[in-house]
Amino acid sequence: LKTSSGKKIVVIGGGFLGSELAVSISRFGANLGHKVTQIFPEDGNMALVFPKYLSRWTTEKVSSLGVMVRSGRLVTCIERNELEDGDKLRLVLDNGEKVEADHVIVAVGVDPSFNRMFGSSSLPLNEETGGVEADRYLRVAPDVFAAGDVVSYVDPILNCRRRSVNFD
């Protein structure tokens, strides 16, 4: 993205990663003319983590930093835009709106099937929280680290085992 200018970037996802990416790309790409749109089904940024008032404030802040926020929307289809040079994408939203993009970043959590993915491995699985069991440094085994939705770790502040997401 650094060498080209005027790109339309779409970030799908309203959690920590999607919101941080949208703001960072908007902030550091503004001088190149990049335009960022963030799309997610929740009512506001980080709505699955924050209370409503804080999610509303966060959404307003993200918007004020130059991100075009499309909350409460699902992407139903991504297609090549035949009217352009072939490198453009068109995202169709559940309300029929179409969003053009040069680049699409998908930053949504997943609920992996841990037994299928890791059942035959020697990695320790945590039955209570789900995920691969790691210590407070995200170490699973010597020289093996895990991060993201897959990890069940010891939170050094709360001093308890947790995951970064809750799929219930």
Side-chain angles (χ1 to χ4, degrees), residues 6-10 25-26 29-30 33-37 66-68:
K7 297 294 182 181
K8 293 178 182 176
I9 298 126
V10 173
I25 294 168
S26 179
H34 296 330
K35 302 291 182 196
V36 179
T37 301
V67 176
M68 181 72 68

Side-chain angles (χ1 to χ4, degrees), residues 24-161:
S24 295
I25 294 168
S26 179
R27 181 174 175 206
F28 295 109
N31 61 337
L32 295 173
H34 296 330
K35 302 291 182 196
V36 179
T37 301
Q38 184 184 21
I39 303 167
F40 49 86
E42 297 83 24
D43 290 336
N45 289 78
M46 317 257 268
L48 297 177
V49 180
F50 291 160
K52 281 187 181 186
Y53 78 93
L54 192 50
S55 176
R56 274 194 300 271
W57 179 88
T58 304
T59 304
E60 290 170 10
K61 185 67 173 171
V62 168
S63 294
S64 75
L65 295 171
V67 176
M68 181 72 68
V69 176
R70 295 283 189 265
S71 59
R73 297 275 61 102
L74 289 170
V75 176
T76 60
C77 179
I78 299 177
E79 56 194 21
R80 210 173 265 291
N81 185 346
E82 301 297 332
L83 300 175
E84 295 290 336
D85 60 12
D87 290 333
K88 304 281 184 187
L89 298 171
R90 177 183 293 132
L91 289 78
V92 181
L93 307 186
D94 58 347
N95 65 350
E97 179 183 358
K98 293 180 170 110
V99 178
E100 302 294 325
D102 294 291
H103 304 284
V104 176
I105 299 168
V106 180
V108 297
V110 296
D111 189 3
S113 172
F114 287 101
N115 288 336
R116 191 170 54 183
M117 289 174 63
F118 302 112
S120 63
S121 78
S122 61
L123 295 176
L125 302 180
N126 187 284
E127 296 295 324
E128 184 179 329
T129 61
V132 176
E133 193 168 292
D135 63 16
R136 68 188 309 155
Y137 305 105
L138 304 179
R139 185 177 29 243
V140 175
D143 297 323
V144 177
F145 295 84
D149 294 345
V150 72
V151 68
S152 172
Y153 65 99
V154 176
D155 186 311
I157 295 171
L158 299 176
N159 198 29
C160 66
R161 182 161 295 282

